[in-house]
Amino acid sequence: MDTMTTASCTVTAADVVALRYYITGVGEDPTLEMAALLQALGLIDRFEQPTAEGYRVYAAALEAEASASPQPQPQPTLVETVETVERATAGAYSYPRYSRGGWRQAIRILLRTYSAQDTMRILLSRIPRWAADQHSARYGSVPGSAITTFVTTHSKTVQHILDTWN
């Protein structure tokens, strides 16, 4: 775990290392430096008689809590998101009208403006059919730009579909 959030601040692993560095006696008075550092981080108010041992215990507790905290889930990459949306929309009514690369192209472009969920809603709606009907390419080879052009020129229709999606 790289960070820990307390009531007043976020402590990183580097902060814990810095705490240990100060505890070991670096500087003229490590106890006072340690107190100043902990107060600056907002981790303590004041100790009447701060001791180096007390700070060692406190730093060890901080490190243990930081390593025990759950790590945030990594965000999916664009490629992973495109693949997820494509799998989720492969059964769409108009999916066969588009080239595979065209469908993926539309997903990539839509993800620039819309969330993954809204992108799926757009592709599962009638929008791809209307876009393909307006395009001159033959069945199975409609490019993804047909969808993005339709979405751009009919933004109110798209917003209405997204707002009323159950």
Side-chain angles (χ1 to χ4, degrees):
M1 178 67 202
D2 292 337
T3 64
M4 173 188 70
T5 301
T6 67
S8 59
C9 67
T10 299
V11 178
T12 66
D15 293 329
V16 173
V17 170
L19 292 174
R20 283 188 171 165
Y21 180 74
Y22 280 105
I23 289 170
T24 58
V26 176
E28 293 181 23
D29 188 344
T31 303
L32 293 178
E33 288 182 29
M34 189 64 176
L37 179 62
L38 289 172
Q39 286 174 357
L41 289 171
L43 298 175
I44 62 169
D45 293 327
R46 266 190 349 196
F47 288 141
E48 302 234 347
Q49 294 293 324
T51 64
E53 182 58 30
Y55 294 126
R56 281 189 193 94
V57 170
Y58 191 72
L62 278 177
E63 186 174 28
E65 187 176 332
S67 64
S69 299
Q71 293 187 7
Q73 294 296 324
Q75 294 296 320
T77 64
L78 179 61
V79 172
E80 293 169 338
T81 304
V82 169
E83 289 172 357
T84 301
V85 171
E86 184 179 22
R87 279 193 305 273
T89 58
Y93 176 79
S94 294
Y95 181 81
R97 293 184 74 176
Y98 290 84
S99 65
R100 182 163 190 254
W103 195 258
R104 291 175 70 86
Q105 174 195 20
I107 294 169
R108 281 192 303 277
I109 294 170
L110 290 170
L111 286 172
R112 293 180 191 162
T113 307
Y114 299 98
S115 68
Q117 185 176 9
D118 284 347
T119 298
M120 285 187 261
R121 289 175 176 167
I122 289 168
L123 295 173
L124 293 172
S125 71
R126 295 179 186 168
I127 292 171
R129 178 184 176 181
W130 296 332
D133 288 346
Q134 292 182 358
H135 201 276
S136 60
R138 61 182 171 77
Y139 192 91
S141 63
V142 177
S145 61
I147 296 173
T148 56
T149 300
F150 185 91
V151 166
T152 302
T153 58
H154 297 87
S155 59
K156 288 184 180 181
T157 302
V158 173
Q159 194 57 51
H160 175 73
I161 288 171
L162 294 175
D163 290 343
T164 58
W165 191 275
N166 289 332

